[in-house]
Amino acid sequence: MIATKMTAELIRRLKGQKIPALTAYDYPMAKLLDEIGLPLILVGDSLGMVVLGYPDTTQVTMAEMEHHVRAAARAEPRALLAADLPYKCYESVAEAVANAKRLVAAGAEAVKAEGGRTILDQVKGIVAAGIPFVGHLGMLPQHVREEGGYRVKGKVESEREALLADAAALVEAGAFALVLELVAPPVAKEITEGIPIPTIGIGSGPDCDGQILVTTDLLGTFPWFTPKFVKPRLNAADQMRAAIEEWKKSV
């Protein structure tokens, strides 16, 4: 377990170090991850797919996020507990701030939203309200339907330039960390070296300051889909099946 309660400022100071982060959607997983000593836990809107059975993250509601944030927060982690603002819940500055406050009231200590310069006013509003903000660039899961799927970003020069500009803008707006999802590794490295806040990669190569995964991908508890960039460290679903089969035979 980490020795002190993590804050956004302490996460910011980890720039240049390796920051491990994972998702949690309930009390036991948040408690387990905290006992292991992770500095950052995210209640991600990925819960829509791996917990609620939605086809993507776009159907996740604020009420569902609040429910899962409350559950994870009951673990009282020393880790910083961040939470995603769900799809269409930060269309305006007023809406972004109000919904960020709802997540904080549920127990989140920071919020994350997808996008760069297109949501800059919302980011500034959230930060001005005293709520720590994590940025998210690259592949944006909440935009998967309009983009027609998941793909690596930054392979062409226009995307590289946009990512660099978005990263700089989020830093200027007050973000304390930046998730880079499916960003071409050379571009992820360039962003990491060019901004003063930590980058936390997912499928963006080894040169980010930290790495985050959906915990079910890491443990193999959602065997019906695993992203190509993930190497599960357990095949827990098969172990669970075997244990249940053994018990079933004993009944």
Side-chain angles (χ1 to χ4, degrees):
M1 185 177 288
I2 54 180
T4 188
K5 173 60 187 171
M6 295 302 295
T7 64
E9 180 56 32
L10 289 176
I11 296 291
R12 184 197 296 268
R13 293 179 194 174
L14 294 177
K15 175 70 179 179
Q17 303 182 42
K18 292 301 180 183
I19 305 168
L22 288 169
T23 61
Y25 315 113
D26 55 30
Y27 170 87
M29 184 56 72
K31 192 168 183 66
L32 182 64
L33 296 182
D34 198 52
E35 288 178 351
I36 294 166
L38 295 185
L40 176 62
I41 296 172
L42 174 69
V43 184
D45 61 358
S46 48
L47 68 87
M49 301 168 75
V50 302
V51 176
L52 301 178
Y54 296 146
D56 52 50
T57 66
T58 64
Q59 297 180 47
V60 177
T61 66
M62 270 298 301
E64 288 165 340
M65 286 302 304
E66 288 172 295
H67 173 87
H68 287 276
V69 169
R70 289 191 191 100
R74 290 185 189 109
E76 298 182 354
R78 290 179 180 266
L80 184 75
L81 187 68
D84 276 331
L85 281 163
Y87 183 59
K88 294 288 187 181
C89 288
Y90 47 101
E91 296 287 276
S92 68
V93 174
E95 186 180 35
V97 173
N99 284 326
K101 287 180 176 179
R102 285 176 62 178
L103 291 178
V104 170
E109 297 163 319
V111 300
K112 180 169 74 65
E114 298 179 5
R117 288 163 292 170
T118 58
I119 63 163
L120 214 55
D121 288 340
Q122 290 93 317
V123 175
K124 291 176 180 177
I126 290 168
V127 173
I131 300 170
F133 181 81
V134 181
H136 186 143
L137 296 177
M139 192 280 289
L140 307 179
Q142 293 178 3
H143 295 262
V144 64
R145 294 190 179 190
E146 55 215 70
E147 293 192 357
Y150 303 100
R151 66 178 182 85
V152 175
K153 296 295 183 68
K155 288 185 173 182
V156 298
E157 183 60 21
S158 61
E159 288 183 350
R160 171 187 165 273
E161 291 176 356
L163 286 165
L164 290 169
D166 282 338
L170 287 172
V171 171
E172 181 67 24
F176 73 89
L178 176 59
V179 170
L180 298 177
E181 181 165 2
L182 289 183
V183 172
V187 179
K189 181 179 182 181
E190 187 176 3
I191 293 171
T192 300
E193 292 175 347
I195 63 175
I197 64 173
T199 59
I200 301 174
I202 177 166
S204 298
D207 296 311
C208 297
D209 296 299
Q211 298 289 334
I212 187 167
L213 288 177
V214 172
T215 303
T216 52
D217 293 339
L218 180 68
L219 300 181
T221 54
F222 192 83
W224 307 280
F225 174 76
T226 303
K228 293 179 181 179
F229 58 83
V230 177
K231 179 182 179 182
R233 300 302 176 97
L234 281 180
N235 193 355
D238 279 353
Q239 293 174 286
M240 293 162 69
R241 288 190 185 105
I244 295 166
E245 286 285 353
E246 184 179 351
W247 171 81
K248 185 177 75 171
K249 292 174 184 176
S250 73
V251 173

